[in-house]
């Protein structure tokens, strides 16, 4: 991503937004059909609330380091997509709010904070 943002910024000299991104706070193993924080889309990060927040911090840092100040921001896909009672799956595991309590997750507080 970093290399792509650098190339885009240098070639087009336009601001760039990373859109429709997300990371699960609940991991799901399709083989075992169970929750699994090791079922992560990013090597080295767990699919849990802390891993989701770390993903946000790392992504923020990459966007902020875009040459020429062209890293304009991040748009998280459906950050408040809470599951309806009795429903599971879909984008609900990628939200920034706990589906059981509605409380903000660490990723919400990591918005805009690079590490």
């Amino acid at each position: 991503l970093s290399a792509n943002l650098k190339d885009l910024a240098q070639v087009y000299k336009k601001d760039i937004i990373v859109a429709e991104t997300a990371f699960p706070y609940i991991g799901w193993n399709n083989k075992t059909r169970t929750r699994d924080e090791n079922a992560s889309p990013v090597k080295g990060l767990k699919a849990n609330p802390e891993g989701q927040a770390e993903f946000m911090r790392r992504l923020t840092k990459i966007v902020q380091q875009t040459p020429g100040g062209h890293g304009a921001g991040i748009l998280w896909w459906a950050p408040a997509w809470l599951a309806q009672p009795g429903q599971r799956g879909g984008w609900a595991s990628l939200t920034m709010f706990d589906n059981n309590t509605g409380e903000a997750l660490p990723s919400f507080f990591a918005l805009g904070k690079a590490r």
Side-chain angles (χ1 to χ4, degrees), residues 11-68:
V11 170
Y12 298 104
K13 298 181 181 12
K14 300 285 184 185
D15 289 347
I16 302 164
I17 295 174
V18 174
E20 297 188 10
T21 191
F23 188 89
Y25 84 94
I26 300 170
W28 182 258
N29 185 317
N30 284 324
K31 290 182 183 176
T32 63
R33 311 286 295 155
T34 59
R35 288 185 175 192
D36 181 358
E37 69 178 15
N38 293 310
S40 170
V42 178
K43 186 176 179 179
L45 290 180
K46 299 243 185 229
N48 61 26
E50 294 76 26
Q52 185 187 55
E54 182 60 21
F55 174 84
M56 175 55 77
R57 286 188 291 270
R58 289 181 187 184
L59 181 59
T60 298
K61 183 175 182 177
I62 290 169
V63 171
Q64 288 175 342
Q65 292 175 338
T66 302

Side-chain angles (χ1 to χ4, degrees), residues 84-99:
Q84 297 298 316
Q87 289 184 329
R88 300 183 135 215
W91 282 93
S93 68
L94 299 148
T95 184
M96 290 184 167
F97 297 88
D98 186 291
N99 276 280

